[in-house]
Amino acid sequence: MSPEAAYRSDKKPLRFPDPEVLANAFLHSESRRVDKSGCISFMGKKYEVGLSFIGCKVNVVYDPADISELTIEYEGHAPWKAHELVIGEHAGKRPELPEHLQAQKADSSRLLGAAEQKNHERRERQAPA
């Protein structure tokens, strides 16, 4: 039996993969660290990732034929698209820093606590008049 005859005599229906799954199978992936401006450098170009990922290591999924749009993946977040950073004449309003990077209110001071303890020890050592 020839291969063509075997192919035509097969009763199972052909299964075609989903185009998105097939396209994702041939993408490349690299990891990059997000700098203090919320951007990554990829192939000599800057891409804005977001201020909430400053200092984090993200995975960059890309098609080598078209790097105008990258897919950024970070654990615990849904993948999102990043476009090449374009710096125009006018700068937009800077977004607020995430909570974990803002100044934190102090509940107590270790320095004042130690000074208070020393003062308490001195009062105990002084002889009553």
PDB file of all heavy atoms in Angstrom, residues 25 31-32 46 53 56 59 78 89 103-104 122 129:
ATOM      1  N   ALA A  25       4.178  28.592  19.826  1.00  0.00           N
ATOM      2  CA  ALA A  25       5.186  27.537  19.902  1.00  0.00           C
ATOM      3  C   ALA A  25       6.513  27.966  19.294  1.00  0.00           C
ATOM      4  O   ALA A  25       7.561  27.435  19.653  1.00  0.00           O
ATOM      5  CB  ALA A  25       4.675  26.280  19.208  1.00  0.00           C
ATOM      6  N   SER A  31      14.876  36.776  29.571  1.00  0.00           N
ATOM      7  CA  SER A  31      14.528  37.489  30.799  1.00  0.00           C
ATOM      8  C   SER A  31      15.303  38.797  30.864  1.00  0.00           C
ATOM      9  O   SER A  31      16.452  38.877  30.426  1.00  0.00           O
ATOM     10  CB  SER A  31      14.811  36.625  32.031  1.00  0.00           C
ATOM     11  OG  SER A  31      16.183  36.350  32.114  1.00  0.00           O
ATOM     12  N   ARG A  32      14.646  39.813  31.419  1.00  0.00           N
ATOM     13  CA  ARG A  32      15.243  41.140  31.551  1.00  0.00           C
ATOM     14  C   ARG A  32      14.867  41.700  32.922  1.00  0.00           C
ATOM     15  O   ARG A  32      13.813  41.397  33.472  1.00  0.00           O
ATOM     16  CB  ARG A  32      14.722  42.104  30.479  1.00  0.00           C
ATOM     17  CG  ARG A  32      15.166  41.787  29.069  1.00  0.00           C
ATOM     18  CD  ARG A  32      16.616  42.201  28.892  1.00  0.00           C
ATOM     19  NE  ARG A  32      17.038  42.184  27.513  1.00  0.00           N
ATOM     20  CZ  ARG A  32      17.598  41.160  26.898  1.00  0.00           C
ATOM     21  NH1 ARG A  32      17.778  40.043  27.549  1.00  0.00           N
ATOM     22  NH2 ARG A  32      17.973  41.232  25.651  1.00  0.00           N
ATOM     23  N   LYS A  46      14.284  50.715  24.083  1.00  0.00           N
ATOM     24  CA  LYS A  46      13.635  50.751  25.395  1.00  0.00           C
ATOM     25  C   LYS A  46      12.152  50.429  25.237  1.00  0.00           C
ATOM     26  O   LYS A  46      11.492  50.889  24.308  1.00  0.00           O
ATOM     27  CB  LYS A  46      13.765  52.143  26.026  1.00  0.00           C
ATOM     28  CG  LYS A  46      15.163  52.484  26.459  1.00  0.00           C
ATOM     29  CD  LYS A  46      15.429  51.884  27.804  1.00  0.00           C
ATOM     30  CE  LYS A  46      16.732  52.434  28.363  1.00  0.00           C
ATOM     31  NZ  LYS A  46      17.034  51.869  29.627  1.00  0.00           N
ATOM     32  N   PHE A  53       6.828  47.194  38.521  1.00  0.00           N
ATOM     33  CA  PHE A  53       7.759  46.088  38.343  1.00  0.00           C
ATOM     34  C   PHE A  53       9.212  46.531  38.461  1.00  0.00           C
ATOM     35  O   PHE A  53      10.109  45.821  38.016  1.00  0.00           O
ATOM     36  CB  PHE A  53       7.521  45.423  36.983  1.00  0.00           C
ATOM     37  CG  PHE A  53       6.138  44.863  36.854  1.00  0.00           C
ATOM     38  CD1 PHE A  53       5.154  45.567  36.189  1.00  0.00           C
ATOM     39  CD2 PHE A  53       5.806  43.663  37.437  1.00  0.00           C
ATOM     40  CE1 PHE A  53       3.874  45.064  36.087  1.00  0.00           C
ATOM     41  CE2 PHE A  53       4.533  43.155  37.341  1.00  0.00           C
ATOM     42  CZ  PHE A  53       3.565  43.859  36.665  1.00  0.00           C
ATOM     43  N   CYS A  56      12.253  44.125  39.286  1.00  0.00           N
ATOM     44  CA  CYS A  56      11.840  42.736  39.089  1.00  0.00           C
ATOM     45  C   CYS A  56      12.444  42.175  37.801  1.00  0.00           C
ATOM     46  O   CYS A  56      12.808  42.911  36.901  1.00  0.00           O
ATOM     47  CB  CYS A  56      10.317  42.649  38.997  1.00  0.00           C
ATOM     48  SG  CYS A  56       9.472  43.186  40.483  1.00  0.00           S
ATOM     49  N   ASN A  59       9.986  38.061  32.067  1.00  0.00           N
ATOM     50  CA  ASN A  59      10.258  37.290  30.857  1.00  0.00           C
ATOM     51  C   ASN A  59       9.705  38.042  29.656  1.00  0.00           C
ATOM     52  O   ASN A  59       8.564  38.497  29.676  1.00  0.00           O
ATOM     53  CB  ASN A  59       9.611  35.905  30.929  1.00  0.00           C
ATOM     54  CG  ASN A  59      10.321  35.009  31.899  1.00  0.00           C
ATOM     55  OD1 ASN A  59      11.530  35.122  32.088  1.00  0.00           O
ATOM     56  ND2 ASN A  59       9.577  34.128  32.539  1.00  0.00           N
ATOM     57  N   ALA A  78      -1.169  38.501  34.653  1.00  0.00           N
ATOM     58  CA  ALA A  78      -1.515  38.068  33.294  1.00  0.00           C
ATOM     59  C   ALA A  78      -0.521  38.699  32.318  1.00  0.00           C
ATOM     60  O   ALA A  78      -0.083  39.835  32.525  1.00  0.00           O
ATOM     61  CB  ALA A  78      -2.938  38.503  32.964  1.00  0.00           C
ATOM     62  N   GLU A  89       7.855  65.506  22.595  1.00  0.00           N
ATOM     63  CA  GLU A  89       8.231  66.846  23.047  1.00  0.00           C
ATOM     64  C   GLU A  89       7.735  67.125  24.455  1.00  0.00           C
ATOM     65  O   GLU A  89       8.418  67.738  25.255  1.00  0.00           O
ATOM     66  CB  GLU A  89       7.640  67.896  22.101  1.00  0.00           C
ATOM     67  CG  GLU A  89       8.235  67.890  20.728  1.00  0.00           C
ATOM     68  CD  GLU A  89       7.588  68.947  19.846  1.00  0.00           C
ATOM     69  OE1 GLU A  89       7.001  69.897  20.385  1.00  0.00           O
ATOM     70  OE2 GLU A  89       7.679  68.803  18.627  1.00  0.00           O
ATOM     71  N   ALA A 103       7.416  56.155  50.899  1.00  0.00           N
ATOM     72  CA  ALA A 103       7.912  56.289  52.274  1.00  0.00           C
ATOM     73  C   ALA A 103       6.889  55.702  53.244  1.00  0.00           C
ATOM     74  O   ALA A 103       5.687  55.926  53.104  1.00  0.00           O
ATOM     75  CB  ALA A 103       8.153  57.753  52.598  1.00  0.00           C
ATOM     76  N   GLN A 104       7.377  54.950  54.206  1.00  0.00           N
ATOM     77  CA  GLN A 104       6.510  54.305  55.185  1.00  0.00           C
ATOM     78  C   GLN A 104       6.500  55.105  56.486  1.00  0.00           C
ATOM     79  O   GLN A 104       7.528  55.633  56.904  1.00  0.00           O
ATOM     80  CB  GLN A 104       7.010  52.879  55.475  1.00  0.00           C
ATOM     81  CG  GLN A 104       7.079  51.987  54.253  1.00  0.00           C
ATOM     82  CD  GLN A 104       5.710  51.608  53.752  1.00  0.00           C
ATOM     83  OE1 GLN A 104       4.779  51.467  54.532  1.00  0.00           O
ATOM     84  NE2 GLN A 104       5.589  51.473  52.447  1.00  0.00           N
ATOM     85  N   ARG A 122      19.117  54.952  84.518  1.00  0.00           N
ATOM     86  CA  ARG A 122      19.778  56.003  85.314  1.00  0.00           C
ATOM     87  C   ARG A 122      18.920  56.401  86.497  1.00  0.00           C
ATOM     88  O   ARG A 122      19.422  56.638  87.596  1.00  0.00           O
ATOM     89  CB  ARG A 122      20.051  57.233  84.439  1.00  0.00           C
ATOM     90  CG  ARG A 122      21.339  57.150  83.706  1.00  0.00           C
ATOM     91  CD  ARG A 122      21.690  58.497  83.084  1.00  0.00           C
ATOM     92  NE  ARG A 122      22.218  58.221  81.769  1.00  0.00           N
ATOM     93  CZ  ARG A 122      21.711  58.592  80.628  1.00  0.00           C
ATOM     94  NH1 ARG A 122      20.635  59.349  80.615  1.00  0.00           N
ATOM     95  NH2 ARG A 122      22.250  58.238  79.499  1.00  0.00           N
ATOM     96  N   ALA A 129      16.791  61.122  97.673  1.00  0.00           N
ATOM     97  CA  ALA A 129      17.320  62.131  98.597  1.00  0.00           C
ATOM     98  C   ALA A 129      16.762  61.950  99.979  1.00  0.00           C
ATOM     99  O   ALA A 129      15.707  61.542 100.252  1.00  0.00           O
ATOM    100  CB  ALA A 129      16.977  63.512  98.083  1.00  0.00           C
TER     101      ALA A 129
END
